[in-house]
Amino acid sequence: MTATTRDKAVAEKAATVEFRRLRREFGKTIALDGLDLAVRPGELLALLGPSGCGKTTALRLLAGFEHPDAGEVLVDGQDVTGVPAHRRDAGMVFQSYSLFPHLSAVDNVAFGLRMRKVRTAERRARAAVLLELVGLGDKGERFPHQLSGGQQQRVALARALALRPRVLLLDEPLSALDAKVRLTLREEIRRLQRELGITTLFVTHDQEEALSMADRVAVMRAGRLEQCAPPSELYGRPATAFVAEFVGTMSRIPGHLDGTTVEVLGQRLPADGEVPATPEVDVLVRPEAVHVAAEGQGDARVVATAFLGATTRLTVRMADGVEIKADLSTHEAAALAAGTAVRVSLPRRPVLVAERAH
Amino acid sequence: MARLNPWRWCVLACAGLYFLVPLAASVVFTVDVPGQGVTFDAYTHILSADGFLSSLLLSLELAAATIAAVLLLMVPAMVALRLGAPKLRPVVDVVCSLPLVVPPIALAAGMGTVLKWGPEHLSRTPLFQTFVAIQNPSFPFVLVLAYVVMALPFAYRALDAGLRAIDVPTLVEAARSCGASWPQALVRAVLPNLRGALLNTSFLTLALVLGEFTVAQLLGFQPFAVWIVTVSGSQAQLSVAVSVLSLLVTWALLLALAGFGGRSRTASRG
């Protein structure tokens, strides 16, 4: 069997996944508090959130390692809540290295086929193809302890794909790796996932990872879904203040809400989306949306600069002590050393407002 | 390997003397018969000695049964403990260590009392036959029961060390997501990685059973260790020769077990 026919075989049956009002408690901790989420066929959906938000629990419910207290998990419209883990048809890559230490790489990949009683020669051949696919064709006879962390996770990925699962589950597969390996493996997972067209859930607490890899990102908080949207929308039009601050960098600037407009930094700007009921609000702004210009009489001062390459991030302290982060091109920022008096302004665009913190 | 400087040589020599002198003395005692010079008669007589083979066989059978019972009891229990109730580990630790605190002689005395008391009170029930059966002199199962208890501390520690080295929950989950049922996950993914711990447990149990004297003697059975002591009264040289031999046999078994474990590991890695 060639790689292309197998790829088609996977792509044809890309599955949908749906969580319906999932609830799961561990003692007094509520891991999932009515989670609703639908994953489209063939997409890579990242579950993003702070630790303890229930994202891993959601994944484990789909894998069959946990059982919900209420609600249901549907794969291709069928309720799989009662199906045991080994019949779920879900390949999983774990956060910790999970290869079987007593088996070589090729036998690890072939493990699932062995459970399905596939003949030795055939399963070894298929395992070899999969190892080739993850770029480890020459490392088949190595044992896990002879492989680097990145290589082990590649083998784990091949093992998860060996049974042609309907869904691929990735539970922070990159978090144990060092930064450089993480970047290359990130691209590799994405490439493979696209090639195979397999519906994939990717759990991560690293927003950069989620934004750079996923078709859509589901931000979770305290067992609930906050927002599920493509990365650009999540970044540009966050639905809630939590999403705004969790994804990317946000500065809060105090403002005064008046109907649907908000007065901030001496400007009057339209408020975007839902507005809080109180007039005292915070305006949420991204660093790249903040204009900073040197002005002798300005009551704001640059207190710190951080060189990021093409851009430089300035921290500006306003007269009232509020700190605002602003990204300027390094060229512009050259004139604005720490201590410079500046004036801060926002572009004439709708801004996101949130209830004032503290 | 570290260099052997004079100080290390000295320590090595002292340790060597400490172990080898008694051993050498035993060997000399068995081969140097006064008036006859050096002779290996003591060793050649072992095989023909009355009760040697039967007692050795009995000990090996008891050892095999005990090893099987200990592994069947402890391996599933310890894996379940890791997976299901990690908080209970200290409790199991204490329970499994109790046999170290209770002297074998107390264990034997207690068992003797029960074995005497039981048949009297249960003579009219089917349990009477059970009491008779477990004391069958050709295979006293009651000794297996006692040895299982006595082997618990060693088995617990050996298996615990083995389980500590692997991430059991993740291995089981990985196997399950690869389509393995619970029993398959345990047999195919967990047990092969416990090979060393299983061998250690088996060997410790084997050594314990081959050398156990107190319980067997007090309950009136005659496995190997009891036979050696019995024979030493009448034929001192023979009994020391048997001791030397049993030491060598135990070493041979240890080497065989270690070699078995080591070789199959390198074979599977090659």
Side-chain angles (χ1 to χ4, degrees):
Chain A
M1 177 181 280
T2 64
T4 42
T5 49
R6 193 195 53 250
D7 295 350
K8 266 183 207 154
V10 174
E12 275 164 19
K13 58 169 186 177
T16 61
V17 173
E18 202 177 331
F19 295 133
R20 278 194 195 154
R21 294 179 304 281
L22 274 185
R23 197 176 163 78
R24 180 75 172 103
E25 289 171 31
F26 298 104
K28 278 181 186 161
T29 349
I30 299 170
L32 288 178
D33 186 12
L35 175 70
D36 281 296
L37 181 64
V39 189
R40 296 171 192 153
E43 85 171 335
L44 193 159
L45 186 121
L47 285 173
L48 177 68
S51 60
C53 71
K55 54 193 193 298
T56 295
T57 307
L59 198 74
R60 292 172 58 81
L61 280 167
L62 178 53
F65 298 143
E66 302 277 353
H67 295 281
D69 298 327
E72 47 194 19
V73 180
L74 296 107
V75 176
D76 265 344
Q78 281 176 328
D79 185 3
V80 297
T81 319
V83 179
H86 63 285
R87 302 218 191 88
R88 286 273 173 115
D89 225 358
M92 182 144 172
V93 179
F94 296 82
Q95 177 175 9
S96 52
Y97 301 135
S98 62
L99 295 183
F100 306 122
H102 65 296
L103 296 177
S104 65
V106 70
D107 285 334
N108 258 288
V109 177
F111 185 86
L113 300 165
R114 186 161 136 209
M115 294 299 115
R116 293 270 165 92
K117 310 254 188 293
V118 176
R119 280 183 303 107
T120 314
E122 191 187 337
R123 68 176 190 241
R124 283 185 77 91
R126 268 165 68 177
V129 171
L130 280 158
L131 278 179
E132 201 73 53
L133 206 62
V134 296
L136 291 176
D138 55 335
K139 303 276 196 300
E141 296 308 317
R142 298 267 185 102
F143 281 82
H145 67 97
Q146 298 167 321
L147 296 169
S148 70
Q151 290 171 332
Q152 289 193 45
Q153 289 303 63
R154 281 164 199 254
V155 177
L157 185 64
R159 182 178 67 181
L161 293 169
L163 288 178
R164 296 168 194 167
R166 286 193 290 174
V167 274
L168 178 62
L169 309 177
L170 308 170
D171 183 8
E172 307 207 20
L174 307 177
S175 62
L177 306 175
D178 56 56
K180 215 165 191 176
V181 182
R182 208 180 300 173
L183 278 180
T184 50
L185 203 49
R186 198 194 269 181
E187 286 163 18
E188 193 132 347
I189 289 176
R190 182 56 169 155
R191 175 184 63 79
L192 259 177
Q193 189 269 337
R194 277 221 176 97
E195 264 177 39
L196 301 178
I198 183 170
T199 310
T200 304
L201 258 89
F202 186 106
V203 162
T204 178
H205 62 265
D206 181 342
Q207 41 133 332
E208 191 191 321
E209 211 166 271
L211 296 180
S212 65
M213 287 175 73
D215 292 310
R216 288 193 303 154
V217 179
V219 180
M220 288 180 64
R221 177 198 191 188
R224 285 169 167 280
L225 183 67
E226 283 279 309
Q227 184 179 10
C228 183
S232 57
E233 189 182 330
L234 205 68
Y235 188 83
R237 298 180 49 82
T240 66
F242 176 81
V243 174
E245 284 179 297
F246 191 75
V247 177
T249 306
M250 274 287 186
S251 303
R252 281 174 171 264
I253 309 171
H256 187 82
L257 188 68
D258 181 13
T260 56
T261 60
V262 59
E263 199 179 320
V264 60
L265 297 176
Q267 294 172 280
R268 180 160 289 276
L269 301 171
D272 192 14
E274 270 182 51
V275 296
T278 52
E280 297 304 312
V281 293
D282 278 340
V283 173
L284 302 173
V285 286
R286 297 276 182 210
E288 63 269 21
V290 178
H291 292 318
V292 179
E295 193 176 291
Q297 292 89 37
D299 52 0
R301 280 186 195 283
V302 177
V303 291
T305 63
F307 176 67
L308 303 176
T311 61
T312 293
R313 177 158 295 176
L314 304 181
T315 307
V316 179
R317 184 175 290 147
M318 309 301 291
D320 51 5
V322 173
E323 287 193 352
I324 302 173
K325 301 229 185 297
D327 283 357
L328 268 67
S329 73
T330 297
H331 170 70
E332 284 177 274
L336 302 171
T340 314
V342 291
R343 201 176 70 84
V344 178
S345 60
L346 297 177
R348 303 219 126 268
R349 281 208 299 260
V351 291
L352 201 71
V353 295
E355 247 172 80
R356 184 161 299 177
H358 50 254
Chain B
M1 201 178 131
R3 267 185 316 118
L4 285 174
N5 58 30
W7 170 240
R8 287 176 180 161
W9 271 115
C10 176
V11 173
L12 186 67
C14 288
L17 283 178
Y18 184 81
F19 286 108
L20 289 179
V21 167
L23 202 59
S26 303
V27 173
V28 169
F29 175 68
T30 55
V31 297
D32 185 23
V33 182
Q36 290 178 34
V38 174
T39 164
F40 288 92
D41 280 358
Y43 290 91
T44 50
H45 286 158
I46 289 178
L47 272 180
S48 54
D50 201 22
F52 166 75
L53 266 185
S54 63
S55 66
L56 182 59
L57 272 182
L58 176 61
S59 274
L60 289 179
E61 284 170 23
L62 287 173
T66 309
I67 290 172
V70 164
L71 291 184
L72 282 177
L73 177 72
M74 290 301 283
V75 173
M78 303 258 320
V79 171
L81 194 66
R82 290 258 151 186
L83 290 173
K87 281 184 192 154
L88 283 180
R89 238 180 71 197
V91 179
V92 177
D93 193 348
V94 168
V95 169
C96 285
S97 304
L98 277 182
L100 284 182
V101 188
V102 180
I105 194 148
L107 183 68
M111 290 180 75
T113 313
V114 172
L115 289 177
K116 278 195 206 97
W117 169 89
E120 276 174 32
H121 288 75
L122 303 168
S123 55
R124 288 173 189 285
T125 69
L127 277 179
F128 179 74
Q129 288 304 323
T130 313
F131 269 93
V132 173
I134 62 171
Q135 296 184 75
N136 176 3
S138 66
F139 187 75
F141 191 73
V142 67
L143 285 186
V144 173
L145 297 179
Y147 293 163
V148 167
V149 172
M150 290 163 72
L152 275 187
F154 310 107
Y156 175 82
R157 268 168 192 80
L159 289 175
D160 192 53
L163 285 166
R164 232 177 254 266
I166 57 174
D167 184 353
V168 182
T170 306
L171 285 187
V172 169
E173 283 179 1
R176 304 253 298 137
S177 77
C178 284
S181 63
W182 267 106
Q184 279 177 320
L186 290 184
V187 173
R188 298 281 186 195
V190 177
L191 283 192
N193 292 305
L194 288 178
R195 178 204 295 278
L198 296 181
L199 283 175
N200 279 342
T201 310
S202 307
F203 184 74
L204 288 172
T205 311
L206 177 76
L208 179 104
V209 174
L210 282 188
E212 209 287 325
F213 171 76
T214 319
V215 175
Q217 162 74 13
L218 288 181
L219 294 184
F221 300 105
Q222 201 172 56
F224 198 47
V226 178
W227 179 77
I228 293 179
V229 174
T230 315
V231 118
S232 69
S234 53
Q235 309 172 53
Q237 271 185 336
L238 180 72
S239 85
V240 176
V242 171
S243 305
V244 171
L245 199 67
S246 75
L247 188 68
L248 294 178
V249 168
T250 315
W251 276 355
L253 283 172
L254 170 63
L255 287 177
L257 274 180
F260 170 68
R263 194 175 49 247
S264 39
R265 183 164 305 166
T266 42
S268 67
R269 281 184 187 177

